[in-house]
């Protein structure tokens, strides 16, 4: 997945998380936690992409 796809996925998860937490009335509901964990995985992938991009730009400097 590219950065834009991950950002779109994260935004969708964020909205879903908000809606579900509001509907369930708690942040500790197992389904709310599952969505939160999925969002965490997407955030980690974005951080890895950013770190990889930063390494590449540093390698291109003379």
């Amino acid at each position: 997945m590219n950065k834009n796809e991950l950002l779109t996925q994260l935004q969708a998860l964020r909205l879903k998380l908000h809606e579900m937490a509001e509907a369930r009335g708690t942040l500790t509901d197992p389904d709310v936690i599952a969505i939160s964990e999925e969002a965490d995985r997407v955030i980690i992938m974005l951080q890895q992409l950013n770190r990889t991009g930063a390494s590449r730009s540093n390698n291109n400097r003379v």
Side-chain angles (χ1 to χ4, degrees):
M1 274 191 178
N2 69 35
K3 186 176 181 177
N4 287 333
E5 291 170 331
L6 289 171
L7 288 170
T8 299
Q9 182 180 2
L10 182 58
Q11 179 67 8
L13 287 168
R14 188 188 69 78
L15 292 172
K16 187 175 178 181
L17 180 62
H18 176 75
E19 290 170 359
M20 186 172 290
E22 195 171 287
R24 303 287 169 98
T26 180
L27 295 174
T28 58
D29 180 87
D31 292 332
V32 174
I33 292 171
I35 294 170
S36 179
E37 289 172 344
E38 187 175 349
D40 290 345
R41 286 188 288 274
V42 173
I43 290 167
I44 290 167
M45 286 190 281
L46 282 164
Q47 290 174 333
Q48 289 171 338
L49 277 176
N50 284 335
R51 201 173 13 234
T52 302
S55 293
R56 286 185 189 150
S57 65
N58 287 337
N59 288 338
N60 291 332
R61 293 181 185 166
V62 178

Short mmCIF file of all heavy atoms in Angstrom, two decimals:
data_model
loop_
_atom_site.label_atom_id
_atom_site.label_comp_id
_atom_site.label_asym_id
_atom_site.label_seq_id
_atom_site.Cartn_x
_atom_site.Cartn_y
_atom_site.Cartn_z
N MET A 1 0.84 -1.19 0.00
CA MET A 1 0.00 0.00 0.00
C MET A 1 0.88 1.24 0.00
O MET A 1 1.90 1.27 0.66
CB MET A 1 -0.86 0.04 1.26
CG MET A 1 -2.13 -0.71 1.15
SD MET A 1 -3.18 -0.30 2.57
CE MET A 1 -4.57 -1.26 2.11
N ASN A 2 0.42 2.25 -0.71
CA ASN A 2 1.18 3.49 -0.69
C ASN A 2 0.66 4.41 0.43
O ASN A 2 -0.33 4.12 1.09
CB ASN A 2 1.15 4.18 -2.06
CG ASN A 2 -0.22 4.72 -2.42
OD1 ASN A 2 -0.97 5.19 -1.57
ND2 ASN A 2 -0.55 4.68 -3.70
N LYS A 3 1.34 5.51 0.61
CA LYS A 3 1.04 6.40 1.72
C LYS A 3 -0.39 6.93 1.66
O LYS A 3 -1.09 6.97 2.68
CB LYS A 3 2.05 7.55 1.75
CG LYS A 3 1.90 8.46 2.93
CD LYS A 3 2.99 9.51 2.94
CE LYS A 3 2.86 10.41 4.15
NZ LYS A 3 3.95 11.40 4.21
N ASN A 4 -0.85 7.33 0.48
CA ASN A 4 -2.20 7.86 0.35
C ASN A 4 -3.26 6.83 0.68
O ASN A 4 -4.26 7.14 1.32
CB ASN A 4 -2.43 8.44 -1.05
CG ASN A 4 -1.70 9.75 -1.25
OD1 ASN A 4 -1.45 10.48 -0.30
ND2 ASN A 4 -1.33 10.03 -2.48
N GLU A 5 -3.04 5.60 0.27
CA GLU A 5 -3.99 4.53 0.59
C GLU A 5 -4.03 4.28 2.10
O GLU A 5 -5.11 4.08 2.67
CB GLU A 5 -3.61 3.24 -0.14
CG GLU A 5 -3.80 3.30 -1.64
CD GLU A 5 -3.19 2.11 -2.36
OE1 GLU A 5 -2.20 1.54 -1.87
OE2 GLU A 5 -3.74 1.75 -3.42
N LEU A 6 -2.87 4.29 2.72
CA LEU A 6 -2.82 4.09 4.17
C LEU A 6 -3.50 5.24 4.91
O LEU A 6 -4.22 5.01 5.89
CB LEU A 6 -1.37 3.93 4.63
CG LEU A 6 -0.69 2.63 4.23
CD1 LEU A 6 0.80 2.69 4.56
CD2 LEU A 6 -1.33 1.44 4.92
N LEU A 7 -3.28 6.46 4.45
CA LEU A 7 -3.92 7.61 5.08
C LEU A 7 -5.44 7.54 4.93
O LEU A 7 -6.18 7.85 5.87
CB LEU A 7 -3.38 8.91 4.50
CG LEU A 7 -1.95 9.27 4.90
CD1 LEU A 7 -1.45 10.45 4.07
CD2 LEU A 7 -1.86 9.56 6.39
N THR A 8 -5.90 7.11 3.77
CA THR A 8 -7.34 6.96 3.55
C THR A 8 -7.91 5.87 4.46
O THR A 8 -8.97 6.05 5.06
CB THR A 8 -7.62 6.61 2.07
OG1 THR A 8 -7.13 7.69 1.25
CG2 THR A 8 -9.10 6.40 1.81
N GLN A 9 -7.19 4.76 4.57
CA GLN A 9 -7.62 3.67 5.44
C GLN A 9 -7.66 4.13 6.90
O GLN A 9 -8.60 3.83 7.64
CB GLN A 9 -6.71 2.46 5.29
CG GLN A 9 -7.14 1.28 6.13
CD GLN A 9 -6.22 0.08 5.95
OE1 GLN A 9 -5.23 0.12 5.22
NE2 GLN A 9 -6.56 -1.00 6.63
N LEU A 10 -6.65 4.89 7.31
CA LEU A 10 -6.59 5.37 8.69
C LEU A 10 -7.75 6.31 8.97
O LEU A 10 -8.37 6.24 10.04
CB LEU A 10 -5.25 6.07 8.94
CG LEU A 10 -5.03 6.58 10.36
CD1 LEU A 10 -5.13 5.45 11.38
CD2 LEU A 10 -3.67 7.26 10.46
N GLN A 11 -8.07 7.17 8.04
CA GLN A 11 -9.19 8.09 8.22
C GLN A 11 -10.50 7.32 8.36
O GLN A 11 -11.33 7.63 9.23
CB GLN A 11 -9.27 9.08 7.05
CG GLN A 11 -10.41 10.06 7.13
CD GLN A 11 -10.27 11.05 8.27
OE1 GLN A 11 -9.25 11.13 8.95
NE2 GLN A 11 -11.31 11.80 8.53
N ALA A 12 -10.69 6.30 7.55
CA ALA A 12 -11.90 5.48 7.63
C ALA A 12 -11.98 4.76 8.98
O ALA A 12 -13.05 4.69 9.60
CB ALA A 12 -11.95 4.48 6.48
N LEU A 13 -10.86 4.24 9.43
CA LEU A 13 -10.82 3.57 10.73
C LEU A 13 -11.10 4.55 11.86
O LEU A 13 -11.79 4.22 12.83
CB LEU A 13 -9.47 2.88 10.94
CG LEU A 13 -9.22 1.63 10.12
CD1 LEU A 13 -7.76 1.22 10.20
CD2 LEU A 13 -10.13 0.50 10.59
N ARG A 14 -10.57 5.75 11.75
CA ARG A 14 -10.79 6.76 12.77
C ARG A 14 -12.28 7.07 12.90
O ARG A 14 -12.83 7.13 14.01
CB ARG A 14 -10.01 8.03 12.45
CG ARG A 14 -10.04 9.07 13.55
CD ARG A 14 -9.41 10.37 13.11
NE ARG A 14 -10.20 11.07 12.11
CZ ARG A 14 -11.30 11.79 12.39
NH1 ARG A 14 -11.73 11.89 13.61
NH2 ARG A 14 -11.96 12.39 11.42
N LEU A 15 -12.95 7.25 11.77
CA LEU A 15 -14.39 7.53 11.78
C LEU A 15 -15.18 6.34 12.35
O LEU A 15 -16.09 6.53 13.17
CB LEU A 15 -14.88 7.87 10.38
CG LEU A 15 -14.36 9.19 9.80
CD1 LEU A 15 -14.76 9.32 8.35
CD2 LEU A 15 -14.87 10.36 10.62
N LYS A 16 -14.81 5.15 11.92
CA LYS A 16 -15.48 3.94 12.40
C LYS A 16 -15.28 3.78 13.91
O LYS A 16 -16.21 3.43 14.64
CB LYS A 16 -14.93 2.72 11.65
CG LYS A 16 -15.64 1.43 11.92
CD LYS A 16 -15.06 0.33 11.01
CE LYS A 16 -15.70 -1.01 11.27
NZ LYS A 16 -15.13 -2.05 10.42
N LEU A 17 -14.07 4.05 14.37
CA LEU A 17 -13.75 3.96 15.78
C LEU A 17 -14.60 4.94 16.59
O LEU A 17 -15.18 4.58 17.62
CB LEU A 17 -12.27 4.23 16.00
CG LEU A 17 -11.73 4.17 17.42
CD1 LEU A 17 -11.90 2.78 18.00
CD2 LEU A 17 -10.26 4.56 17.44
N HIS A 18 -14.70 6.15 16.12
CA HIS A 18 -15.49 7.17 16.81
C HIS A 18 -16.96 6.76 16.88
O HIS A 18 -17.59 6.83 17.94
CB HIS A 18 -15.33 8.52 16.11
CG HIS A 18 -16.17 9.59 16.70
ND1 HIS A 18 -15.87 10.20 17.89
CD2 HIS A 18 -17.32 10.16 16.26
CE1 HIS A 18 -16.81 11.09 18.17
NE2 HIS A 18 -17.70 11.09 17.19
N GLU A 19 -17.50 6.33 15.75
CA GLU A 19 -18.91 5.94 15.70
C GLU A 19 -19.19 4.75 16.60
O GLU A 19 -20.19 4.74 17.34
CB GLU A 19 -19.31 5.61 14.25
CG GLU A 19 -19.35 6.82 13.34
CD GLU A 19 -19.52 6.45 11.88
OE1 GLU A 19 -19.57 5.25 11.55
OE2 GLU A 19 -19.57 7.38 11.06
N MET A 20 -18.33 3.76 16.56
CA MET A 20 -18.55 2.56 17.36
C MET A 20 -18.40 2.85 18.85
O MET A 20 -19.19 2.37 19.66
CB MET A 20 -17.64 1.42 16.93
CG MET A 20 -17.97 0.13 17.66
SD MET A 20 -17.08 -1.29 17.04
CE MET A 20 -17.86 -1.49 15.45
N ALA A 21 -17.41 3.62 19.22
CA ALA A 21 -17.21 3.95 20.63
C ALA A 21 -18.41 4.73 21.17
O ALA A 21 -18.87 4.49 22.29
CB ALA A 21 -15.93 4.75 20.81
N GLU A 22 -18.92 5.62 20.35
CA GLU A 22 -20.09 6.39 20.75
C GLU A 22 -21.31 5.48 20.88
O GLU A 22 -22.08 5.58 21.85
CB GLU A 22 -20.35 7.50 19.74
CG GLU A 22 -21.31 8.56 20.22
CD GLU A 22 -21.34 9.74 19.29
OE1 GLU A 22 -20.36 10.51 19.27
OE2 GLU A 22 -22.35 9.89 18.57
N ALA A 23 -21.49 4.58 19.94
CA ALA A 23 -22.64 3.67 19.97
C ALA A 23 -22.56 2.69 21.14
O ALA A 23 -23.58 2.39 21.78
CB ALA A 23 -22.74 2.91 18.65
N ARG A 24 -21.36 2.19 21.41
CA ARG A 24 -21.18 1.21 22.49
C ARG A 24 -21.09 1.87 23.87
O ARG A 24 -21.26 1.22 24.89
CB ARG A 24 -19.93 0.36 22.25
CG ARG A 24 -19.91 -0.38 20.92
CD ARG A 24 -20.87 -1.55 20.91
NE ARG A 24 -21.06 -2.10 19.58
CZ ARG A 24 -20.43 -3.17 19.11
NH1 ARG A 24 -19.58 -3.81 19.87
NH2 ARG A 24 -20.68 -3.59 17.89
N GLY A 25 -20.76 3.15 23.87
CA GLY A 25 -20.68 3.89 25.12
C GLY A 25 -19.43 3.63 25.93
O GLY A 25 -19.34 4.04 27.08
N THR A 26 -18.46 2.95 25.33
CA THR A 26 -17.22 2.67 26.05
C THR A 26 -16.08 2.44 25.07
O THR A 26 -16.29 1.97 23.95
CB THR A 26 -17.37 1.43 26.97
OG1 THR A 26 -16.14 1.19 27.65
CG2 THR A 26 -17.77 0.20 26.19
N LEU A 27 -14.89 2.78 25.52
CA LEU A 27 -13.70 2.53 24.70
C LEU A 27 -13.12 1.14 24.95
O LEU A 27 -12.19 0.73 24.27
CB LEU A 27 -12.63 3.58 25.00
CG LEU A 27 -12.98 5.01 24.61
CD1 LEU A 27 -11.89 5.97 25.08
CD2 LEU A 27 -13.19 5.14 23.12
N THR A 28 -13.67 0.43 25.92
CA THR A 28 -13.13 -0.89 26.28
C THR A 28 -13.92 -2.04 25.68
O THR A 28 -13.62 -3.20 25.94
CB THR A 28 -13.07 -1.05 27.80
OG1 THR A 28 -14.38 -0.87 28.34
CG2 THR A 28 -12.11 -0.04 28.42
N ASP A 29 -14.89 -1.72 24.83
CA ASP A 29 -15.63 -2.77 24.12
C ASP A 29 -14.66 -3.53 23.20
O ASP A 29 -13.82 -2.90 22.54
CB ASP A 29 -16.76 -2.14 23.30
CG ASP A 29 -17.57 -3.17 22.54
OD1 ASP A 29 -18.52 -3.70 23.13
OD2 ASP A 29 -17.23 -3.43 21.36
N PRO A 30 -14.75 -4.86 23.15
CA PRO A 30 -13.81 -5.63 22.32
C PRO A 30 -13.77 -5.20 20.84
O PRO A 30 -12.71 -5.19 20.23
CB PRO A 30 -14.30 -7.07 22.47
CG PRO A 30 -14.99 -7.08 23.80
CD PRO A 30 -15.62 -5.73 23.94
N ASP A 31 -14.92 -4.85 20.28
CA ASP A 31 -14.94 -4.41 18.88
C ASP A 31 -14.26 -3.06 18.70
O ASP A 31 -13.59 -2.82 17.69
CB ASP A 31 -16.38 -4.35 18.36
CG ASP A 31 -17.01 -5.73 18.24
OD1 ASP A 31 -16.27 -6.72 18.04
OD2 ASP A 31 -18.25 -5.82 18.35
N VAL A 32 -14.43 -2.18 19.68
CA VAL A 32 -13.76 -0.87 19.63
C VAL A 32 -12.25 -1.07 19.73
O VAL A 32 -11.48 -0.46 18.98
CB VAL A 32 -14.28 0.05 20.77
CG1 VAL A 32 -13.49 1.35 20.82
CG2 VAL A 32 -15.77 0.34 20.59
N ILE A 33 -11.84 -1.94 20.62
CA ILE A 33 -10.41 -2.23 20.78
C ILE A 33 -9.83 -2.83 19.51
O ILE A 33 -8.72 -2.46 19.09
CB ILE A 33 -10.18 -3.15 22.00
CG1 ILE A 33 -10.51 -2.38 23.29
CG2 ILE A 33 -8.74 -3.67 22.03
CD1 ILE A 33 -10.53 -3.23 24.53
N ALA A 34 -10.57 -3.71 18.86
CA ALA A 34 -10.09 -4.33 17.62
C ALA A 34 -9.85 -3.28 16.53
O ALA A 34 -8.84 -3.33 15.82
CB ALA A 34 -11.08 -5.39 17.14
N ILE A 35 -10.77 -2.33 16.41
CA ILE A 35 -10.60 -1.26 15.41
C ILE A 35 -9.40 -0.38 15.78
O ILE A 35 -8.61 0.00 14.93
CB ILE A 35 -11.88 -0.43 15.28
CG1 ILE A 35 -13.01 -1.29 14.71
CG2 ILE A 35 -11.65 0.79 14.38
CD1 ILE A 35 -14.37 -0.64 14.76
N SER A 36 -9.26 -0.09 17.06
CA SER A 36 -8.14 0.70 17.53
C SER A 36 -6.81 0.01 17.21
O SER A 36 -5.86 0.65 16.76
CB SER A 36 -8.26 0.95 19.03
OG SER A 36 -7.17 1.69 19.50
N GLU A 37 -6.76 -1.29 17.43
CA GLU A 37 -5.53 -2.04 17.13
C GLU A 37 -5.24 -2.05 15.64
O GLU A 37 -4.08 -1.97 15.22
CB GLU A 37 -5.65 -3.46 17.67
CG GLU A 37 -5.60 -3.51 19.19
CD GLU A 37 -5.91 -4.88 19.77
OE1 GLU A 37 -6.44 -5.75 19.05
OE2 GLU A 37 -5.61 -5.07 20.96
N GLU A 38 -6.29 -2.14 14.83
CA GLU A 38 -6.10 -2.09 13.37
C GLU A 38 -5.55 -0.72 12.96
O GLU A 38 -4.64 -0.63 12.13
CB GLU A 38 -7.42 -2.38 12.65
CG GLU A 38 -7.27 -2.52 11.16
CD GLU A 38 -8.56 -2.93 10.47
OE1 GLU A 38 -9.53 -3.30 11.15
OE2 GLU A 38 -8.58 -2.87 9.22
N ALA A 39 -6.08 0.34 13.57
CA ALA A 39 -5.57 1.68 13.29
C ALA A 39 -4.11 1.80 13.71
O ALA A 39 -3.30 2.40 13.00
CB ALA A 39 -6.43 2.73 14.00
N ASP A 40 -3.77 1.20 14.84
CA ASP A 40 -2.37 1.20 15.29
C ASP A 40 -1.46 0.56 14.26
O ASP A 40 -0.37 1.06 13.99
CB ASP A 40 -2.23 0.44 16.62
CG ASP A 40 -2.84 1.17 17.80
OD1 ASP A 40 -3.13 2.38 17.68
OD2 ASP A 40 -3.04 0.52 18.85
N ARG A 41 -1.91 -0.55 13.66
CA ARG A 41 -1.08 -1.22 12.64
C ARG A 41 -0.87 -0.32 11.42
O ARG A 41 0.22 -0.27 10.86
CB ARG A 41 -1.72 -2.55 12.25
CG ARG A 41 -1.55 -3.64 13.30
CD ARG A 41 -2.00 -5.00 12.82
NE ARG A 41 -3.46 -5.11 12.70
CZ ARG A 41 -4.28 -5.43 13.69
NH1 ARG A 41 -3.80 -5.69 14.89
NH2 ARG A 41 -5.58 -5.52 13.49
N VAL A 42 -1.92 0.39 11.04
CA VAL A 42 -1.79 1.31 9.89
C VAL A 42 -0.83 2.45 10.24
O VAL A 42 0.01 2.83 9.42
CB VAL A 42 -3.18 1.86 9.47
CG1 VAL A 42 -3.04 2.93 8.40
CG2 VAL A 42 -4.06 0.72 8.96
N ILE A 43 -0.93 2.96 11.46
CA ILE A 43 -0.02 4.03 11.89
C ILE A 43 1.43 3.55 11.85
O ILE A 43 2.32 4.27 11.39
CB ILE A 43 -0.41 4.53 13.30
CG1 ILE A 43 -1.73 5.29 13.23
CG2 ILE A 43 0.70 5.41 13.89
CD1 ILE A 43 -2.36 5.56 14.58
N ILE A 44 1.66 2.34 12.30
CA ILE A 44 3.02 1.78 12.28
C ILE A 44 3.53 1.67 10.84
O ILE A 44 4.68 2.00 10.55
CB ILE A 44 3.07 0.42 13.01
CG1 ILE A 44 2.88 0.65 14.51
CG2 ILE A 44 4.38 -0.32 12.72
CD1 ILE A 44 2.61 -0.61 15.30
N MET A 45 2.66 1.23 9.92
CA MET A 45 3.07 1.13 8.52
C MET A 45 3.41 2.52 7.97
O MET A 45 4.39 2.67 7.23
CB MET A 45 1.97 0.48 7.68
CG MET A 45 1.85 -1.02 7.91
SD MET A 45 0.76 -1.85 6.73
CE MET A 45 -0.84 -1.45 7.40
N LEU A 46 2.64 3.53 8.33
CA LEU A 46 2.93 4.89 7.88
C LEU A 46 4.25 5.38 8.45
O LEU A 46 5.05 6.01 7.73
CB LEU A 46 1.80 5.84 8.30
CG LEU A 46 0.55 5.79 7.44
CD1 LEU A 46 -0.62 6.45 8.15
CD2 LEU A 46 0.81 6.45 6.10
N GLN A 47 4.51 5.09 9.71
CA GLN A 47 5.78 5.48 10.31
C GLN A 47 6.95 4.80 9.62
O GLN A 47 7.99 5.42 9.39
CB GLN A 47 5.78 5.15 11.80
CG GLN A 47 4.86 6.03 12.61
CD GLN A 47 4.75 5.61 14.05
OE1 GLN A 47 4.94 4.43 14.39
NE2 GLN A 47 4.44 6.55 14.92
N GLN A 48 6.78 3.53 9.28
CA GLN A 48 7.85 2.81 8.59
C GLN A 48 8.09 3.40 7.20
O GLN A 48 9.24 3.54 6.77
CB GLN A 48 7.51 1.32 8.49
CG GLN A 48 7.58 0.61 9.82
CD GLN A 48 7.05 -0.81 9.78
OE1 GLN A 48 6.27 -1.18 8.92
NE2 GLN A 48 7.45 -1.61 10.76
N LEU A 49 7.02 3.78 6.51
CA LEU A 49 7.17 4.42 5.20
C LEU A 49 7.90 5.75 5.33
O LEU A 49 8.79 6.06 4.54
CB LEU A 49 5.81 4.66 4.55
CG LEU A 49 5.17 3.51 3.80
CD1 LEU A 49 3.78 3.91 3.32
CD2 LEU A 49 6.03 3.06 2.64
N ASN A 50 7.54 6.53 6.33
CA ASN A 50 8.19 7.82 6.54
C ASN A 50 9.66 7.64 6.88
O ASN A 50 10.52 8.37 6.41
CB ASN A 50 7.49 8.61 7.65
CG ASN A 50 6.20 9.22 7.17
OD1 ASN A 50 6.00 9.47 5.99
ND2 ASN A 50 5.29 9.46 8.10
N ARG A 51 9.95 6.64 7.71
CA ARG A 51 11.34 6.38 8.10
C ARG A 51 12.14 5.93 6.88
O ARG A 51 13.26 6.36 6.68
CB ARG A 51 11.37 5.32 9.21
CG ARG A 51 12.63 5.34 10.00
CD ARG A 51 12.62 4.43 11.20
NE ARG A 51 11.54 3.47 11.25
CZ ARG A 51 10.70 3.34 12.29
NH1 ARG A 51 10.82 4.09 13.34
NH2 ARG A 51 9.75 2.44 12.26
N THR A 52 11.56 5.09 6.05
CA THR A 52 12.22 4.61 4.84
C THR A 52 12.46 5.77 3.88
O THR A 52 13.54 5.90 3.32
CB THR A 52 11.39 3.52 4.14
OG1 THR A 52 11.19 2.45 5.06
CG2 THR A 52 12.06 3.00 2.90
N GLY A 53 11.46 6.64 3.75
CA GLY A 53 11.59 7.81 2.89
C GLY A 53 12.66 8.75 3.39
O GLY A 53 13.43 9.31 2.60
N ALA A 54 12.73 8.93 4.69
CA ALA A 54 13.76 9.81 5.27
C ALA A 54 15.15 9.23 5.04
O ALA A 54 16.09 9.95 4.75
CB ALA A 54 13.50 10.00 6.77
N SER A 55 15.27 7.92 5.16
CA SER A 55 16.58 7.27 4.93
C SER A 55 17.01 7.45 3.48
O SER A 55 18.16 7.72 3.20
CB SER A 55 16.49 5.78 5.25
OG SER A 55 16.27 5.58 6.62
N ARG A 56 16.07 7.30 2.58
CA ARG A 56 16.41 7.45 1.16
C ARG A 56 16.83 8.87 0.85
O ARG A 56 17.80 9.09 0.12
CB ARG A 56 15.21 7.08 0.28
CG ARG A 56 14.95 5.62 0.21
CD ARG A 56 13.84 5.30 -0.75
NE ARG A 56 13.47 3.91 -0.63
CZ ARG A 56 12.27 3.44 -0.84
NH1 ARG A 56 11.29 4.24 -1.18
NH2 ARG A 56 12.01 2.15 -0.70
N SER A 57 16.12 9.85 1.41
CA SER A 57 16.49 11.24 1.10
C SER A 57 17.85 11.59 1.73
O SER A 57 18.61 12.35 1.17
CB SER A 57 15.40 12.22 1.59
OG SER A 57 15.30 12.19 2.99
N ASN A 58 18.16 11.01 2.87
CA ASN A 58 19.47 11.24 3.49
C ASN A 58 20.57 10.58 2.67
O ASN A 58 21.68 11.12 2.58
CB ASN A 58 19.51 10.71 4.92
CG ASN A 58 18.72 11.58 5.88
OD1 ASN A 58 18.50 12.75 5.60
ND2 ASN A 58 18.29 11.00 6.97
N ASN A 59 20.29 9.44 2.06
CA ASN A 59 21.29 8.75 1.24
C ASN A 59 21.55 9.48 -0.07
O ASN A 59 22.60 9.33 -0.66
CB ASN A 59 20.85 7.32 0.93
CG ASN A 59 20.92 6.42 2.17
OD1 ASN A 59 21.66 6.72 3.12
ND2 ASN A 59 20.17 5.35 2.16
N ASN A 60 20.58 10.27 -0.51
CA ASN A 60 20.74 11.00 -1.76
C ASN A 60 21.52 12.30 -1.59
O ASN A 60 21.91 12.93 -2.56
CB ASN A 60 19.36 11.31 -2.39
CG ASN A 60 18.69 10.05 -2.90
OD1 ASN A 60 19.36 9.09 -3.26
ND2 ASN A 60 17.38 10.05 -2.93
N ARG A 61 21.76 12.71 -0.36
CA ARG A 61 22.54 13.92 -0.11
C ARG A 61 24.01 13.64 -0.28
O ARG A 61 24.50 12.59 0.05
CB ARG A 61 22.28 14.44 1.30
CG ARG A 61 20.87 14.93 1.50
CD ARG A 61 20.69 15.45 2.89
NE ARG A 61 19.30 15.80 3.08
CZ ARG A 61 18.75 16.03 4.25
NH1 ARG A 61 19.49 15.95 5.34
NH2 ARG A 61 17.50 16.35 4.36
N VAL A 62 24.68 14.63 -0.79
CA VAL A 62 26.13 14.48 -1.00
C VAL A 62 26.90 15.24 0.01
O VAL A 62 26.55 16.21 0.53
CB VAL A 62 26.53 14.92 -2.42
CG1 VAL A 62 28.02 14.81 -2.63
CG2 VAL A 62 25.76 14.15 -3.43
#
